[in-house]
Amino acid sequence: MQRIYIHPLPVRIWHWINASGFVAMILTGIQIRYVGLVDLISFEAAVDLHNWIGFILIGNFFVWLLFYLFSDKIKVYHPELSPVKYFHESFRQLQYYGYGIFKGNPNPHHVSAYHKFNPVQSMSYQIVMLLIVPLQFYTGLLLWDVKRFSGTVELFGGVRVVDTVHVLLFIVLTAFIFIHAYLATLGHTPTAHIKAMITGYEEIEEEPEQNPSQ
Amino acid sequence: MASSRKEGATASGTFHTALVTAVIAAFLVLFPVAFMAAPAATDVPADSLSEEDATCLSCHSDEGLEKATANGEMLSLHVRGEAFARSVHNWIGCAGCHTNVDLEDHPAAERAIDSPREFAAQASRVCSQCHSEASLKDGPEHHAQVSNADGPACVECHEAHSIEKIEQWKASVEETAYCLTCHGRILSVPLGSSETHSLFIDEAVLRQSVHLDHECADCHIVFSKDIHEVRAFASEREHSIVRAEVCRQCHEEKFELYQGSIHAALIDEGDLAAPVCTDCHGSHSVGPTAAYETITGVPCKNCHEAVFDAYAASVHGQARSKLGHFEAPICADCHRAHDVSVASVGDRLKNACLGCHMGAMSAHQAWLPNAERHLEVVSCPACHAPAAQRRIDLRLYDSVAQELVSEQEGAPQFENRVRSADAKGDGLDAVALWKLLREFNRDESERKTTLQGRLEVRTGVEAHRLSDNTKAIRDCDSCHREGAEPFQSVAVSIVGPDGRPVHYGAQKEVLTSVISVDSVGGFYAIGGTRIKLLDVLLVLALFGGISVPIGHLTLRWLFRKFLNRGAREDASKSP
């Protein structure tokens, strides 16, 4: 086993704050939306928590953003500029998750410090972090004080429109959290990726030497 | 005396004589005018009357002479001889009018007289022997008298034995006294309808009003001692409405405010039950402003009795009536006195609440998320009248002009369109509501009709049942949960021609349908009006989020032998 440092400290801090924050946001969001069906805490307390955690997450988002903007680690998000190559690699990755993994085939993606995401991860994280999460923060901010942002709210078509977008993104992120957590268990051991996000070091199985005849 | 003065005349004496003469002449002219109505004139002695009249006065000059009538009232039989001698009728003598007095059988003590008034009416019939009804009708001031059999008898206005020449009498009395000569008595005229209009003015009431220093003609400018035109009104109500113009002469500003009120709009619409000036203030009994701002004196309760009762029992009414807090609001403080607007339209009432409760916004912000938004879309009574039933009013709103959409006068588009959209008649459903909006926006590019939602109480009566703060609804769950009471009743409304909202029922599903994102985009209450389709999507997301990992995990377990084989193959490839 080889240990590669792929998760710098700011990323790990951001990740675990973000992860726990999103779980809390989902739970308080469910409480806010489903009073009567779920009665873990009061509506008022759920709204207060939701707002506070939301602001923490917005601040935390900028930790992530600024870290990557001002470090060379941003390379991990560099997109594959060749669409053919990108789709080919993505297809290989999906083929692995949907088929090869059951046959015991090796993961086609090989992790390195500047190449820690497979093509599917890279694309989905960019969609989540640069589109879904900011939009969720923005709609959340508008809903936090509808009167203060009434002009923008009206521009979007009203508070119900903003809320509907917020809830749709909440649904997407809820599904994402489950899938993300499961995929985190698909390392060489179920806890390998999780440990890596704590220690920063990913354990990489050493590559077998290539057979020249192949 | 004049010749002796001439004998001693000097230059200064001539001047003195002229001055004295002028004073005497002025005195002789002014004295009769000033004292013509005075009863005890002594310039014409009673002994100038005929012997027959003197005979009558031998008894009737007794001031205490009176006779009991059948109704128990006392009829005075006293005649002031001097006054009669001075009167215009002195030449007629007693027997000229009292033709039925039988001197052989007088006094006719056994002849019953019903009442002094009946006696006056009977005695006045004698007048018509000389003053025919036709000649009286020529004088419009007698219109009410001759139009009404129950009007005052001649002698009630003109007196019986001291009647002066009418021109002399007019000149001798003040204008208001002239008017009250007749109008100070029970007097009425029949109107075009079956109603009777009272012309009686209680001077005592008038003198207690704020207009105590005014004379009749100050207001009734078309009337004077010389002008008394006959006006015809179809009804008492029509007269009241016309009478408002009298108030306008001095109170133009208030009248203009009134003209912009719901009351004036109703009058314009033909609803004559709506109040005009005198309905609230009275006509001759107008009190000071403070008189209308008391629990007992406020005129609004005359028409809005149920609303007023609710107010009287509210925290505001109780503060006034029981605690003596006269700063607590009464009707006009919130609704205003003259420019009364429709309560459920606009921000006036909310502003009225916040105008007194200036700390309300910050007090709400201390605990209520989105406090300003709440205060914008939730009417104050919706929480502060906790027993009230509530509903959602979806108001048609022009988002370009930023004002509520009003029904066009004479073209009831709203009524026609909602009925067309709601073919089944069971309330607008989500699709029908969406179509209704589309209909309003058809071919009207200069405006954009949307719906502005507002949580309010269902009736005006309930809106006044305000409780103290400790009983106000503060439980978020009362609205922010599925099936919450306010969202069980939904109405769509437009501002009617008179300023009042016109409502049409909608099904409660209009607030939870996915179509509401478009049609009711501006109104949303978390939990209470959540869109059902999003709930389904969340369930699917949860199901997918849980089942996909479980399914994948299961497949991996089922194919674990291949997993192991793959691992072995990898190992075998290793050197």
Side-chain angles (χ1 to χ4, degrees), chain B residues 195-268:
Chain B
E195 294 173 285
T196 300
H197 175 60
S198 173
L199 298 171
F200 168 64
I201 307 301
D202 188 336
E203 189 181 5
V205 170
L206 178 66
R207 296 305 175 198
Q208 285 170 3
S209 77
V210 291
H211 295 145
L212 74 168
D213 293 329
H214 288 285
E215 303 301 325
C216 301
D218 290 345
C219 298
H220 302 282
I221 55 174
V222 295
F223 291 92
S224 69
K225 287 182 186 177
D226 302 316
I227 302 172
H228 196 293
E229 64 180 70
V230 175
R231 297 185 301 174
F233 296 100
S235 66
E236 186 73 36
R237 197 65 201 147
E238 184 189 307
H239 176 255
S240 297
I241 293 166
V242 171
R243 192 164 50 186
E245 290 295 329
V246 171
C247 310
R248 184 180 189 175
Q249 294 165 167
C250 295
H251 304 286
E252 176 70 30
E253 185 190 350
K254 295 286 190 293
F255 189 83
E256 290 299 323
L257 288 173
Y258 168 81
Q259 285 296 88
S261 73
I262 174 64
H263 292 147
L266 289 171
I267 293 281
D268 290 343

Side-chain angles (χ1 to χ4, degrees), chain B residues 305-355:
Chain B
E305 187 180 1
V307 168
F308 184 79
D309 288 346
Y311 159 79
S314 75
V315 63
H316 291 144
Q318 294 288 297
R320 271 184 169 260
S321 61
K322 291 197 172 170
L323 304 176
H325 292 167
F326 298 112
E327 71 280 10
I330 199 162
C331 311
D333 292 316
C334 300
H335 298 278
R336 300 198 191 171
H338 297 97
D339 51 337
V340 180
S341 66
V342 177
S344 55
V345 174
D347 291 332
R348 184 185 279 185
L349 276 190
K350 186 189 82 175
N351 294 337
C353 296
L354 297 178

Side-chain angles (χ1 to χ4, degrees), chain A residues 32-36 43-44 97 101-104 143-147 158-161 163 171 178 182 186, chain B residues 370 373 376 476 481 511 516 520-521 523-524 526 529-530 534-535 541 545 549 552-553 555-556 559 562-563:
Chain A
I32 290 168
R33 189 170 166 82
Y34 297 100
V35 171
F43 177 89
E44 202 174 335
Y97 285 134
I101 194 170
F102 305 122
K103 289 176 64 184
L143 293 170
W144 165 70
D145 194 339
V146 175
K147 185 69 180 172
V159 65
R160 183 180 287 265
V161 178
D163 182 84
I171 291 168
F178 279 99
Y182 173 69
L186 297 184
Chain B
N370 267 309
R373 173 69 176 175
E376 188 176 71
C476 307
R481 65 187 304 149
L511 299 176
S516 65
V520 197
F523 181 77
Y524 178 71
I526 297 171
T529 65
R530 65 176 193 257
L534 294 181
D535 295 347
H552 200 265
L553 197 62
L555 286 173
R556 282 170 61 205
F559 289 91
F562 295 105
L563 265 172

Side-chain angles (χ1 to χ4, degrees), chain B residues 12-314:
Chain B
S12 62
T14 303
F15 174 76
H16 179 75
T17 303
L19 183 63
V20 170
T21 305
V23 169
I24 291 171
F27 179 77
L28 290 174
V29 170
L30 295 176
F31 181 81
V33 174
F35 294 95
M36 204 159 279
T42 56
D43 57 328
V44 183
D47 57 13
S48 66
L49 295 172
S50 69
E51 191 177 331
E52 289 80 5
D53 294 345
T55 303
C56 299
L57 285 169
S58 64
C59 292
H60 285 279
S61 61
D62 180 0
E63 289 188 12
L65 188 65
E66 57 185 10
K67 175 184 175 74
T69 60
N71 72 347
E73 291 181 70
M74 299 305 291
L75 173 64
S76 172
L77 302 175
H78 168 60
V79 176
R80 285 178 291 120
E82 297 84 357
F84 179 62
R86 202 185 61 230
S87 83
V88 72
H89 291 147
N90 61 358
W91 59 276
I92 299 174
C94 302
C97 292
H98 298 284
T99 54
N100 59 344
V101 175
D102 184 356
L103 293 175
E104 299 301 319
D105 183 20
H106 182 76
E110 72 281 0
R111 188 159 61 86
I113 297 171
D114 290 342
S115 66
R117 183 167 165 73
E118 187 272 336
F119 178 78
Q122 191 181 355
S124 295
R125 290 194 191 107
V126 177
C127 306
S128 63
Q129 290 174 5
C130 297
H131 305 285
S132 68
E133 189 169 301
S135 67
L136 293 177
K137 280 185 177 175
D138 288 342
E141 62 273 13
H142 289 112
H143 173 75
Q145 163 66 22
V146 296
S147 304
N148 193 341
D150 295 330
C154 305
V155 298
E156 290 184 89
C157 296
H158 292 277
E159 234 284 330
H161 301 102
S162 57
I163 299 171
E164 297 174 85
K165 267 191 163 307
I166 205 71
E167 290 77 14
Q168 288 177 347
W169 172 69
K170 274 188 181 178
S172 70
V173 292
E174 294 291 335
E175 197 150 71
T176 296
Y178 169 79
C179 300
L180 291 173
T181 302
C182 295
H183 289 282
R185 303 171 192 281
I186 302 301
L187 184 66
S188 62
V189 284
L191 299 176
S193 58
S194 58
E195 294 173 285
T196 300
H197 175 60
S198 173
L199 298 171
F200 168 64
I201 307 301
D202 188 336
E203 189 181 5
V205 170
L206 178 66
R207 296 305 175 198
Q208 285 170 3
S209 77
V210 291
H211 295 145
L212 74 168
D213 293 329
H214 288 285
E215 303 301 325
C216 301
D218 290 345
C219 298
H220 302 282
I221 55 174
V222 295
F223 291 92
S224 69
K225 287 182 186 177
D226 302 316
I227 302 172
H228 196 293
E229 64 180 70
V230 175
R231 297 185 301 174
F233 296 100
S235 66
E236 186 73 36
R237 197 65 201 147
E238 184 189 307
H239 176 255
S240 297
I241 293 166
V242 171
R243 192 164 50 186
E245 290 295 329
V246 171
C247 310
R248 184 180 189 175
Q249 294 165 167
C250 295
H251 304 286
E252 176 70 30
E253 185 190 350
K254 295 286 190 293
F255 189 83
E256 290 299 323
L257 288 173
Y258 168 81
Q259 285 296 88
S261 73
I262 174 64
H263 292 147
L266 289 171
I267 293 281
D268 290 343
E269 268 192 352
D271 183 355
L272 300 184
V276 292
C277 311
T278 50
D279 293 304
C280 297
H281 294 280
S283 51
H284 296 95
S285 56
V286 181
T289 304
Y292 303 101
E293 295 175 345
T294 64
I295 288 281
T296 52
V298 67
C300 312
K301 64 181 178 183
N302 297 334
C303 295
H304 305 283
E305 187 180 1
V307 168
F308 184 79
D309 288 346
Y311 159 79
S314 75

Side-chain angles (χ1 to χ4, degrees), chain B residues 237-538:
Chain B
R237 197 65 201 147
E238 184 189 307
H239 176 255
S240 297
I241 293 166
V242 171
R243 192 164 50 186
E245 290 295 329
V246 171
C247 310
R248 184 180 189 175
Q249 294 165 167
C250 295
H251 304 286
E252 176 70 30
E253 185 190 350
K254 295 286 190 293
F255 189 83
E256 290 299 323
L257 288 173
Y258 168 81
Q259 285 296 88
S261 73
I262 174 64
H263 292 147
L266 289 171
I267 293 281
D268 290 343
E269 268 192 352
D271 183 355
L272 300 184
V276 292
C277 311
T278 50
D279 293 304
C280 297
H281 294 280
S283 51
H284 296 95
S285 56
V286 181
T289 304
Y292 303 101
E293 295 175 345
T294 64
I295 288 281
T296 52
V298 67
C300 312
K301 64 181 178 183
N302 297 334
C303 295
H304 305 283
E305 187 180 1
V307 168
F308 184 79
D309 288 346
Y311 159 79
S314 75
V315 63
H316 291 144
Q318 294 288 297
R320 271 184 169 260
S321 61
K322 291 197 172 170
L323 304 176
H325 292 167
F326 298 112
E327 71 280 10
I330 199 162
C331 311
D333 292 316
C334 300
H335 298 278
R336 300 198 191 171
H338 297 97
D339 51 337
V340 180
S341 66
V342 177
S344 55
V345 174
D347 291 332
R348 184 185 279 185
L349 276 190
K350 186 189 82 175
N351 294 337
C353 296
L354 297 178
C356 289
H357 301 282
M358 286 180 280
M361 182 60 82
S362 55
H364 283 88
Q365 284 171 329
W367 69 274
L368 181 64
N370 267 309
E372 278 191 82
R373 173 69 176 175
H374 274 98
L375 265 60
E376 188 176 71
V377 299
V378 181
S379 73
C380 300
C383 296
H384 290 274
Q389 287 190 302
R390 294 168 290 171
R391 72 169 172 201
I392 303 303
D393 183 18
L394 299 174
R395 305 160 168 189
L396 288 165
Y397 181 76
D398 185 348
S399 57
V400 175
Q402 297 199 327
E403 61 183 18
L404 295 173
V405 177
S406 297
E407 184 77 290
Q408 291 171 1
E409 203 163 347
Q413 51 176 344
F414 178 70
E415 192 76 15
N416 292 341
R417 285 173 175 173
V418 289
R419 294 207 179 282
S420 171
D422 181 25
K424 292 179 184 172
D426 50 3
L428 294 166
D429 60 22
V431 176
L433 184 61
W434 180 78
K435 284 181 179 174
L436 177 72
L437 276 180
R438 204 174 57 169
E439 193 69 28
F440 268 92
N441 285 313
R442 189 190 299 276
D443 303 327
E444 293 187 31
S445 55
E446 74 276 10
R447 78 179 194 188
K448 168 77 175 164
T449 302
T450 56
L451 287 169
Q452 191 185 60
R454 186 168 169 81
L455 199 163
E456 60 182 26
V457 295
R458 293 189 195 180
T459 67
V461 172
E462 290 179 307
H464 289 83
R465 292 193 176 126
L466 299 169
S467 68
D468 64 79
N469 275 346
T470 59
K471 293 174 186 157
I473 294 174
R474 199 183 156 130
D475 181 10
C476 307
D477 297 9
S478 63
C479 289
H480 293 289
R481 65 187 304 149
E482 188 179 24
E485 178 262 333
F487 310 113
Q488 303 310 300
S489 174
V490 183
V492 182
S493 71
I494 191 170
V495 178
D498 58 12
R500 291 185 296 180
V502 179
H503 290 98
Y504 192 87
Q507 295 175 18
K508 61 184 179 183
E509 285 74 21
V510 299
L511 299 176
T512 56
S513 162
V514 69
I515 301 173
S516 65
V517 176
D518 185 36
S519 53
V520 197
F523 181 77
Y524 178 71
I526 297 171
T529 65
R530 65 176 193 257
I531 296 168
K532 301 288 184 193
L533 183 64
L534 294 181
D535 295 347
V536 174
L537 289 178
L538 178 62

Side-chain angles (χ1 to χ4, degrees), chain A residues 19-49:
Chain A
S20 53
F22 265 89
V23 170
M25 291 297 271
I26 288 169
L27 292 176
T28 53
I30 287 173
Q31 176 63 84
I32 290 168
R33 189 170 166 82
Y34 297 100
V35 171
L37 198 64
V38 179
D39 289 313
L40 297 174
I41 54 174
S42 72
F43 177 89
E44 202 174 335
V47 170
D48 281 344
L49 269 175

